[in-house]
Amino acid sequence: MIRRFVQPPALDRWDDYFEPGEVLLWQGAPEPGPHSYIGTIALSAFGLPFLIAGLTTAAMGLGQLLGMNGVADLGLGLFMTAFSIPFLGAGAGMTIGSWLYAFNGHKFTRYALTNKRAYLATSFFKHSLTTYVIAPDDVITLTQGKLDTVRFKTVHDRDSDGDKTTQKIGFDNIKDGQEVYAMIRQIQREAQ
């Protein structure tokens, strides 16, 4: 059951999605392993109190059930055990789940670049494919480090509160960032 939800994206044939005249130039995926220890540690630290509260409440509820002397103890024990479930779920998700995703997130993302568009395929709970046309006026950035990140699109939107949000789209944590950056710049020049 769980496997159905966290299936890595199938190695689709990218050309199934191409328009006429579109040619695959590059394909890849993020490199394995956690890439942002700070974010993962922060989320784990935030989730730890929830996990501790859930475990404590569950232990108290189960203790109440095991040592019950009547219907009142049964009711209180069931209530406390049931009350602990959301805290256990949230705490485990933030502490354990964040580390599991950090070490396995690369399995759920695939990238492709053609002579016209960039493709991002993800498959964690559902399979999705997003395409971005490489336009001449897009700001292309390359961030180099142990691994590279190439950003090629900036999307401005409004959230549910009406606040303006900005999202930078790109290929994260790839080995050959300089090569991909050069290809995207070439696509831009040819699109003018």
Side-chain angles (χ1 to χ4, degrees):
M1 172 84 174
I2 290 191
R3 186 156 231 240
R4 181 176 73 110
F5 290 113
V6 292
Q7 199 70 296
L11 295 175
D12 294 337
R13 292 170 11 116
W14 292 108
D15 53 356
D16 290 344
Y17 305 102
F18 292 172
E19 295 175 351
E22 204 167 355
V23 178
L24 180 67
L25 301 176
W26 173 85
Q27 63 181 337
E31 288 298 307
H35 303 292
S36 172
Y37 283 106
I38 294 170
T40 307
I41 290 169
L43 188 59
S44 295
F46 184 75
L48 196 57
F50 288 93
L51 184 61
I52 292 169
L55 289 171
T56 304
T57 308
M60 289 171 34
L62 291 173
Q64 192 76 25
L65 287 173
L66 294 175
M68 67 181 181
N69 292 324
V71 177
D73 288 341
L74 173 67
L76 183 60
L78 288 175
F79 173 76
M80 290 179 75
T81 304
F83 186 76
S84 70
I85 292 172
F87 290 97
L88 283 170
M94 286 187 271
T95 55
I96 300 164
S98 63
W99 286 100
L100 286 174
Y101 187 79
F103 278 99
N104 293 297
H106 67 281
K107 296 177 183 176
F108 307 106
T109 305
R110 297 287 179 266
Y111 304 134
L113 182 65
T114 70
N115 57 336
K116 295 181 181 180
R117 298 185 287 178
Y119 291 79
L120 279 75
T122 58
S123 179
F124 190 65
F125 285 107
K126 65 177 186 166
H127 182 71
S128 70
L129 178 73
T130 310
T131 63
Y132 299 93
V133 174
I134 306 296
D137 59 340
D138 287 336
V139 176
I140 312 298
T141 61
L142 169 64
T143 306
Q144 291 185 295
K146 189 171 85 173
L147 294 171
D148 303 332
T149 295
V150 179
R151 301 274 185 232
F152 50 79
K153 189 67 80 174
T154 304
V155 177
H156 301 285
D157 205 0
R158 293 207 176 272
D159 64 10
S160 60
D161 296 334
D163 297 330
K164 197 174 192 181
T165 61
T166 302
Q167 183 181 10
K168 295 188 180 212
I169 310 294
F171 301 138
D172 295 321
N173 304 310
I174 57 176
K175 273 187 185 174
D176 45 358
Q178 198 159 7
E179 179 186 333
V180 173
Y181 175 79
M183 283 190 268
I184 294 174
R185 297 292 291 172
Q186 182 62 35
I187 294 166
Q188 271 190 319
R189 284 190 289 276
E190 291 173 2
Q192 292 180 355

